[in-house]
Amino acid sequence: MKILVTGGTGYIGSHTVVELLNENFEVVIADNLSNSNAEVVDKIEEITAKKVHFEKTDLSCPTATAELFQKHGGFDGVIHFAAFKAVGESVKEPLKYYHNNIFSLINLMNEMEKYKTQFLVFSSSCTVYGQPEELPVTENAAIQKALSPYGNTKQIAEEIITDYCLSNPNFNAILLRYFNPIGAHPSAKIGELPIGVPQNLIPYITQTAIGKREKLSVFGNDYSTPDGTCIRDYIHVVDLAQAHLAAMRRIAEQKNEENIETFNIGTGNGFSVLEIINSFEKVSNQKLPYEFAPRREGDIEKVWANTTLANEKLKWKAKLSLDEMLLSAWNWEKNINKNNE
């Protein structure tokens, strides 16, 4: 099968490409490199010893998207990651997020329809739940009003895909609502490498520990949680990548029960920011300088997943522990720091 992976040089996309190549899928990456680097393609090929096709393109442009499909004659399936993803930035620049995240999906699906590409795995997010009324949150939980433009773009995208699936019974989509991906490939050749100041917790932790940042700011210590800091369900990026592989296989092998399905992808465990810091200090043997700061707009208090549906239907389960996640992130940080010396 020939799979288009949009945002494939990004953090989650690159790890998913590795898993696809390891399972002998033919992969084409489309990425505008707005928050990634083309060198990732070389690293993927080093890890897998396989060739991957890379196209630098902006999917928010309909002409560029059409040219991509025309060049490759369409695809058997698409895994769609390409999106801006920083909650805080989306609050400050909402139009940037709506333009990129929504237009890219519409342009992509227009071309999929034209070329009769019938399999889509969509990178959604637990942010669609807002602050859930009950935890752990299941796929049947009510969709709350999004607390950020980023979260709202995921809700809107899910609605677009759902409406299209209702109109076209031959089209098959799986929405993966995943929680907080962290960690890096065990080779330490690919990992989370944001351009500029990190917007996510783990790269800020590792960059602080290595000396790139002065100290970590913990946003809020007055939440209604055991230690006052936010709680999230953190999942190793390799486990997450394997969930995308399982989802694509499910629809390609026509094992899906409906032409649109939704799955939570997490570990089912919630960890606070302070628990993350403590685990990182243990596995890295580094003392992490941090301070408490005011709450950050758009953040929810606590969320973790009920993953029963994914475990049963996708035949997938997260395997790696929190310590393993953080150690792999630290090994990745040390490796890129060594290479830049």
Side-chain angles (χ1 to χ4, degrees), residues 5-26:
V5 181
T6 73
T9 59
Y11 175 42
I12 306 168
S14 61
H15 287 81
T16 301
V17 169
V18 167
E19 298 302 318
L20 289 167
L21 290 172
N22 284 340
E23 292 295 319
N24 297 316
F25 286 86
E26 182 183 355

Side-chain angles (χ1 to χ4, degrees), residues 44-64:
I44 290 170
E45 292 180 345
E46 286 179 23
I47 292 169
T48 63
K50 293 181 179 177
K51 179 69 177 175
V52 59
H53 304 284
F54 171 68
E55 303 286 352
K56 183 180 179 182
T57 189
D58 185 352
L59 297 172
S60 68
C61 171
T63 302

Side-chain angles (χ1 to χ4, degrees), residues 6-280:
T6 73
T9 59
Y11 175 42
I12 306 168
S14 61
H15 287 81
T16 301
V17 169
V18 167
E19 298 302 318
L20 289 167
L21 290 172
N22 284 340
E23 292 295 319
N24 297 316
F25 286 86
E26 182 183 355
V27 179
V28 176
I29 293 173
D31 203 304
N32 67 0
L33 303 179
S34 63
N35 195 34
S36 60
N37 194 303
E39 292 176 2
V40 171
V41 176
D42 298 329
K43 299 301 182 183
I44 290 170
E45 292 180 345
E46 286 179 23
I47 292 169
T48 63
K50 293 181 179 177
K51 179 69 177 175
V52 59
H53 304 284
F54 171 68
E55 303 286 352
K56 183 180 179 182
T57 189
D58 185 352
L59 297 172
S60 68
C61 171
T63 302
T65 309
E67 289 173 349
L68 172 69
F69 273 72
Q70 182 179 28
K71 178 177 179 178
H72 290 275
F75 304 93
D76 296 308
V78 175
I79 302 180
H80 184 42
F81 293 105
F84 295 145
K85 63 183 181 64
V87 169
E89 183 185 54
S90 78
V91 173
K92 296 176 181 177
E93 300 184 66
L95 295 182
K96 172 182 175 180
Y97 274 68
Y98 286 115
H99 179 273
N100 184 74
N101 294 7
I102 303 304
F103 284 177
S104 62
L105 174 64
I106 293 172
N107 294 336
L108 185 65
M109 293 185 71
N110 276 332
E111 295 305 314
M112 291 179 72
E113 181 177 64
K114 188 184 302 181
Y115 285 85
K116 296 182 170 53
T117 302
Q118 297 177 342
F119 305 138
L120 173 67
V121 177
F122 178 66
S123 165
S124 192
S125 167
C126 66
T127 57
V128 303
Y129 297 119
Q131 179 58 66
E133 295 177 0
E134 295 184 9
L135 290 169
V137 62
T138 72
E139 292 85 351
N140 294 323
I143 301 300
Q144 305 284 350
K145 177 176 171 55
L147 297 181
S148 69
Y150 164 72
N152 201 29
T153 65
K154 291 299 184 183
Q155 290 184 3
I156 294 169
E158 285 197 3
E159 291 170 357
I160 291 169
I161 296 168
T162 300
D163 287 344
Y164 184 72
C165 285
L166 290 172
S167 74
N168 184 351
N170 294 319
F171 189 81
N172 297 275
I174 288 182
L175 312 176
L176 297 184
R177 292 174 180 165
Y178 41 80
F179 286 66
N180 288 59
I182 62 174
H185 193 268
S187 67
K189 292 181 183 293
I190 56 173
E192 189 170 11
L193 185 61
I195 294 174
V197 179
Q199 298 288 325
N200 293 335
L201 176 63
I202 304 307
Y204 211 107
I205 284 177
T206 59
Q207 288 188 16
T208 301
I210 208 79
K212 293 179 183 177
R213 309 288 165 193
E214 181 183 355
K215 57 189 171 185
L216 172 73
S217 293
V218 177
F219 296 106
N221 64 339
D222 57 350
Y223 287 100
S224 182
T225 61
D227 62 23
T229 64
C230 290
I231 292 176
R232 298 287 185 270
D233 186 337
Y234 295 91
I235 178 172
H236 198 293
V237 67
V238 172
D239 280 334
L240 178 57
Q242 290 172 353
H244 289 81
L245 181 64
M248 181 55 73
R249 286 203 180 282
R250 179 173 172 83
I251 50 178
E253 295 172 3
Q254 299 182 328
K255 294 180 179 178
N256 48 315
E257 295 161 10
E258 300 177 14
N259 73 324
I260 183 164
E261 296 180 314
T262 303
F263 298 99
N264 285 339
I265 305 297
T267 64
N269 300 306
F271 294 98
S272 73
V273 177
L274 289 183
E275 287 177 309
I276 293 293
I277 291 171
N278 291 336
S279 175
F280 177 80

